[in-house]
Amino acid sequence: MDLFGLRCFVEIVRAGGFTRAAEALGRTQPAVSAQVKRLEESLGGPLIDRSAPGLVLTELGRQLLPRAEGLLE
């Protein structure tokens, strides 16, 4: 599991979206999106429901969030 991918995921949740997370991380939105996509592929499923309005975590995303925050502290 990639720590930067986890950092991107946590920042997306904190910032409320990919664009604001990218700005906070000093990266482009496509770069942050690609990091999360790789993380999702390594975990075997989506973390964020991209078809829903706003930022909605999947069950996998909800389970990962506290673990990711703990690892990054």
Side-chain angles (χ1 to χ4, degrees), residues 22-64:
E23 291 170 358
L25 293 166
R27 304 292 171 109
T28 64
Q29 183 274 324
V32 169
S33 184
Q35 285 291 326
V36 172
K37 183 73 174 161
R38 281 192 285 276
L39 181 60
E40 290 174 327
E41 289 170 358
S42 73
L43 294 172
L47 300 171
I48 299 166
D49 182 353
R50 289 167 179 81
S51 67
L55 182 72
V56 177
L57 297 180
T58 64
E59 181 61 31
L60 181 59
R62 287 190 296 275
Q63 290 175 8
L64 178 63

